[in-house]
Amino acid sequence: MVNMADVARLAGVSMATASRALSDHPHVAPATRARVLDAAAELAYVVSPEASRLAGGVTDRIAVVVPHLSRWFFGALLDGLESVLREADKDLLIYHVGDAADRKSFFERLPARRKVDAVVVLGMPIARPERERLEMMGVHIVAAGGQIEPYPFVSIDDMVAGRQAVNHLLFLGHRRIAMIATNDPGQPGWPIRAGRSRAYHAALADAGLPADPDLAVTVPWGGAAGAEAMAELLSLREPPTAVYAHSDEVALGAIRTIRRAGLRVPEDISVIGIDDHPLAELTDLTTVAQPVRDQGALAGQVVLGLLSGAATDPGITMATRLVVRGSTGPPRVA
Amino acid sequence: MVNMADVARLAGVSMATASRALSDHPHVAPATRARVLDAAAELAYVVSPEASRLAGGVTDRIAVVVPHLSRWFFGALLDGLESVLREADKDLLIYHVGDAADRKSFFERLPARRKVDAVVVLGMPIARPERERLEMMGVHIVAAGGQIEPYPFVSIDDMVAGRQAVNHLLFLGHRRIAMIATNDPGQPGWPIRAGRSRAYHAALADAGLPADPDLAVTVPWGGAAGAEAMAELLSLREPPTAVYAHSDEVALGAIRTIRRAGLRVPEDISVIGIDDHPLAELTDLTTVAQPVRDQGALAGQVVLGLLSGAATDPGITMATRLVVRGSTGPPRVA
C-alpha cells in the first residue's frame, strides 16, 4: 500500500508539501504541485476517500469529461447537463480529453486530485484501466450520450436507432444498402457506436440480403470523411442505391459527393443519417432523431440524485424516431 | 460600505457562517449558502480582494462565461481556450448564461464568490452594471470572439469581415443587395455584431447605392430564422439579387428558401455568409472565414500572461478572409 510518505520521497518534497499539493492547497508553486501529482500518478497513490471527506467533503463541483468541444452533439449534451446542475448551484469543471495523450494524462492524474463530487463522461467509451482510476476517486460516475458499464447512464439505444434507419431504407425497396460507419482518430482502437454497425448487419440479414463487405466503409467522423467514403462507394462496379450514415454530418458529406457526381438525391441514391442535427432540417435530410440536450439534462438529474443519496436507475434509455425528409425515396426501377 | 456583519444579519446567520459561506467553505448547507449569497448580492457586498487573497490566493481556476453551449462558434472558442489553459494545468469552470434571468443572477452573485483567478467572456457583450460587478471581483477579465471595453480581447474586426462579404457581391456586379442581420432572443436589446451591419450600410453608400430599408432584415440567430428572413425578402416586389447573411447557418437557411421557391443559387440569387462553419465547405457556401479556435487559444495565452504579471496587448484583432465557393456569382443580365 502506497502512502503519502512514498509520494513525498519520490517528488523530493516534505510530507507537508506533498499533503498541501494533493489537497489542492493554494500556497504551493505550480511546478511543485505538478511534481507531486506526477509522483502520485506514478505510484498510483490514492487519497483515502475517508480522509479526503474529512478534510474537504462536498466541493459542489462536478467534473465533465468530453472528447470534443466544438461538435454539436457534445455541446448539446453539455448544454442540457449544465442547465440542471447550475439550477442546483453546482459548478462544472470541463476536462477535454481530445486524443490518446490527453486521455492518458487525465486518467493518470485523476485519483490524486479529489476536487469534485462526481464525474460525468460525455459520449465516450472508457477502458478498464481508466475505469479503475475513476473508481479510485471514490466519487459518483455517470455516463451521458453513451454507456459505460457498470455506471448509471443516459443514452439512446444505438442498435434501435440503426435499425430504424436501415428498416426505412428496406421498406422503401432498397436492396443494395451501404453503411458509412465512423471512428475517432483521436481515440484509435475504440469501437465507437458499435451498435449502429451491428444494427446494419442484423437488419440486412433479417431481410435475407447477402453481406457485401464492399458496402460497409469506416472513416474518421466528419463531413469531409463522409464525402470521401461516398466517393469510395461510387468507385464500385455496382454502387449502392441507398446509404446509411452513422451521423448527419457524415451523411451531408456523402450527399455532396453524390451531387458532384451529377447524381440526384434521392432519385439516384437515398441517404439517411442519425442525430437530427439542427442543419438536417435545413438540408432536408432524412434522419433518426435523438434527444441530445435531454440526455444531458437527465444525466444532471441522475448526478443530483446520487449526491442526495437517492436510489438511481442503473440506466435510462431514451427513444429515437425516424424523421422522414427529402433525402430518401424508393430506388429507381432498373 | 457594506460589511460582512450586514450580510450575516440580512441572511439571519452568524458572522462565522456568513464567512464560511462566502469563502466557499465545504461545511455549509446548500440552503444556508444560497441565503448568504442572496443577501450578499442584495447588498452588493464585495469580498475584499486583499482579504480574499490572504485567505485563498491562487485557485488555478478560470471562469468561462458563455451565452450558448451547443453552437459551433462558442464550442470552437471553448476548444481553443481549453487547450491552452489545460496545458498550464488550469481548471475551467463553465458558466452558461443563456437568457436575461441567468445573466442577472450570474452577475449579481459573481463578486461574492471569488473562486477563480480570471474570467473569460466568450462572444458576448457586457452592460456597464455587469462590468462593474465583474470588476468588483478584482480578477483579470478577457474577452474572446468579441470585444468588451476596456478589457483585453481577441476578436475579428466585424466591420472588416462585413466589408469583405459585401464588397465581393458588389464586385460581382450586384446592385440590389440584402442583409440578414441577427440578434439574440435570449439577450434582447443587445446590438450583436453591430459592425457587420455598419459594414453593409457603409459599403453600399461607398458604391453610391441607395439605402433601401426593405432589404435589411433582422431575425433571431439560426438557420430557421434565416429561412424565414429570406421568405420576407422574396415577398418584395423587387427581391434582391444577392444576400449577405451575418453567419453561415443563417445563410444556409436563406438558401433553403431560395431553392424551395424554385430559384437557383447563385444563378438567380447569390448568398454569402460569415464564419466558415465546418458545413460551409460541404454545402459549397461562399463565406468570410474567421479563425475561431485560434481566437480561443490566443485568449488563453492572454489569460496566462496576465496571471504571470506580464504586460498584455490591449487587444488582438485576427484577420478574416473571403472564401469563394459556389453560392455566389454575377447577377443575371436583366
Side-chain angles (χ1 to χ4, degrees):
Chain A
M1 183 72 188
V2 176
N3 62 33
M4 202 181 288
D6 301 321
V7 174
R9 203 172 309 119
L10 182 62
V13 300
S14 69
M15 276 279 281
T17 300
S19 167
R20 274 201 300 273
L22 290 171
S23 65
D24 223 37
H25 192 280
H27 293 297
V28 180
T32 308
R33 179 172 309 176
R35 211 157 69 235
V36 172
L37 289 175
D38 286 344
E42 191 175 331
L43 297 171
Y45 171 75
V46 186
V47 177
S48 148
E50 193 77 346
S52 177
R53 200 168 302 125
L54 289 170
V58 174
T59 65
D60 277 335
R61 287 193 293 268
I62 314 292
V64 184
V65 187
V66 56
H68 303 282
L69 280 169
S70 62
R71 290 189 193 170
W72 164 78
F73 177 75
F74 299 96
L77 281 174
L78 191 56
D79 191 9
L81 180 69
E82 200 271 353
S83 68
V84 169
L85 295 180
R86 176 167 38 85
E87 196 65 31
D89 226 10
K90 304 293 179 193
D91 280 328
L92 260 71
L93 283 172
I94 299 288
Y95 295 99
H96 178 207
V97 296
D99 59 23
D102 283 358
R103 189 170 180 123
K104 188 159 181 292
S105 126
F106 173 75
F107 284 102
E108 273 181 6
R109 281 169 159 232
L110 196 55
R113 45 178 190 191
R114 263 183 57 85
K115 301 197 231 180
V116 297
D117 301 332
V119 176
V120 183
V121 181
L122 298 188
M124 193 173 99
I126 298 285
R128 177 181 294 272
E130 294 173 342
R131 281 213 309 272
E132 283 165 8
R133 305 295 292 180
L134 270 173
E135 270 164 27
M136 282 178 185
M137 291 180 78
V139 301
H140 299 291
I141 298 160
V142 174
Q147 255 184 269
I148 307 172
E149 289 292 344
Y151 308 122
F153 67 86
V154 182
S155 177
I156 61 166
D157 184 328
D158 283 317
M159 187 83 188
V160 170
R163 278 278 198 164
Q164 290 170 323
V166 180
N167 283 346
H168 177 59
L169 299 175
L170 287 166
F171 166 75
L172 288 170
H174 292 280
R175 291 295 171 267
R176 202 156 164 76
I177 299 172
M179 170 173 73
I180 306 179
T182 55
N183 60 24
D184 190 332
Q187 322 276 354
W190 286 106
I192 303 278
R193 303 297 174 191
R196 296 187 193 177
S197 292
R198 281 200 306 275
Y200 166 77
H201 295 295
L204 294 193
D206 285 357
L209 294 173
D212 180 346
D214 284 348
L215 291 179
V217 182
T218 299
V219 290
W221 184 91
E228 285 169 30
M230 191 67 227
E232 191 177 330
L233 292 169
L234 289 181
S235 75
L236 296 175
R237 182 63 194 86
E238 192 191 346
T241 64
V243 176
Y244 153 57
H246 275 204
S247 95
D248 287 352
E249 280 133 308
V250 172
L252 292 175
I255 288 176
R256 184 183 66 160
T257 298
I258 295 169
R259 294 208 170 117
R260 283 204 175 162
L263 300 168
R264 289 158 307 157
V265 175
E267 291 84 351
D268 298 306
I269 301 181
S270 286
V271 178
I272 191 167
I274 290 183
D275 273 344
D276 206 19
H277 186 286
L279 291 179
E281 210 245 311
L282 286 181
T283 49
D284 209 22
L285 179 70
T286 298
T287 190
V288 172
Q290 63 166 323
V292 184
R293 193 176 184 282
D294 290 353
Q295 289 175 64
L298 260 180
Q301 283 163 13
V302 170
V303 168
L304 296 177
L306 289 168
L307 291 178
S308 73
T312 304
D313 252 316
I316 301 173
T317 301
M318 300 193 79
T320 52
R321 67 194 166 83
L322 177 68
V323 178
V324 178
R325 297 201 182 97
S327 68
T328 47
R332 270 186 308 183
V333 181
Chain B
M1 184 71 189
V2 176
N3 62 34
M4 201 182 288
D6 301 321
V7 174
R9 203 171 308 120
L10 182 62
V13 300
S14 69
M15 276 279 281
T17 300
S19 166
R20 276 202 299 273
L22 289 170
S23 65
D24 223 38
H25 192 279
H27 294 298
V28 180
T32 308
R33 178 172 308 173
R35 212 157 67 236
V36 172
L37 289 176
D38 286 344
E42 190 175 330
L43 297 171
Y45 171 75
V46 185
V47 178
S48 146
E50 193 77 347
S52 176
R53 200 167 304 127
L54 289 171
V58 174
T59 66
D60 277 334
R61 287 193 292 267
I62 313 292
V64 184
V65 187
V66 55
H68 303 282
L69 280 170
S70 61
R71 290 189 193 170
W72 165 78
F73 177 75
F74 299 96
L77 282 174
L78 190 56
D79 191 11
L81 181 69
E82 201 268 356
S83 68
V84 168
L85 294 180
R86 176 167 38 87
E87 195 65 32
D89 226 10
K90 305 293 179 192
D91 280 327
L92 259 72
L93 283 173
I94 298 289
Y95 294 99
H96 177 208
V97 297
D99 59 23
D102 283 358
R103 191 171 177 121
K104 188 158 179 292
S105 124
F106 173 74
F107 284 103
E108 272 180 8
R109 282 168 159 234
L110 194 56
R113 46 178 192 192
R114 262 183 59 83
K115 303 197 231 179
V116 296
D117 301 332
V119 176
V120 182
V121 181
L122 298 189
M124 194 172 97
I126 298 286
R128 177 182 295 273
E130 294 174 342
R131 281 212 309 270
E132 283 165 8
R133 306 292 295 181
L134 270 175
E135 269 165 25
M136 280 177 185
M137 291 180 78
V139 301
H140 299 291
I141 298 159
V142 173
Q147 257 184 269
I148 307 172
E149 290 289 344
Y151 308 122
F153 67 86
V154 182
S155 177
I156 62 166
D157 184 329
D158 282 317
M159 187 83 188
V160 169
R163 278 279 198 163
Q164 289 169 324
V166 181
N167 282 347
H168 177 58
L169 299 176
L170 288 166
F171 166 74
L172 288 170
H174 292 279
R175 291 295 171 265
R176 200 153 165 78
I177 299 171
M179 170 173 73
I180 305 180
T182 55
N183 60 24
D184 190 333
Q187 323 275 353
W190 287 105
I192 303 278
R193 304 296 174 193
R196 296 187 194 177
S197 292
R198 282 201 305 276
Y200 167 77
H201 295 295
L204 294 194
D206 285 358
L209 293 173
D212 180 344
D214 285 347
L215 291 180
V217 183
T218 300
V219 290
W221 184 91
E228 286 169 28
M230 191 67 227
E232 191 177 332
L233 292 168
L234 289 181
S235 76
L236 296 175
R237 181 68 194 87
E238 191 191 347
T241 63
V243 176
Y244 152 57
H246 275 203
S247 93
D248 286 351
E249 279 132 309
V250 172
L252 292 175
I255 288 176
R256 183 182 66 159
T257 299
I258 294 169
R259 294 207 170 120
R260 283 204 176 163
L263 300 168
R264 291 159 306 159
V265 175
E267 291 83 351
D268 299 306
I269 302 181
S270 285
V271 177
I272 190 167
I274 290 182
D275 273 344
D276 205 18
H277 186 287
L279 291 180
E281 210 245 311
L282 287 181
T283 50
D284 209 22
L285 180 70
T286 299
T287 190
V288 173
Q290 63 166 324
V292 183
R293 193 177 184 281
D294 290 353
Q295 289 175 65
L298 260 179
Q301 283 164 12
V302 170
V303 168
L304 296 178
L306 288 167
L307 291 177
S308 73
T312 304
D313 252 315
I316 301 172
T317 301
M318 299 192 79
T320 51
R321 68 195 166 81
L322 178 68
V323 178
V324 178
R325 298 201 182 99
S327 69
T328 47
R332 270 187 308 184
V333 181

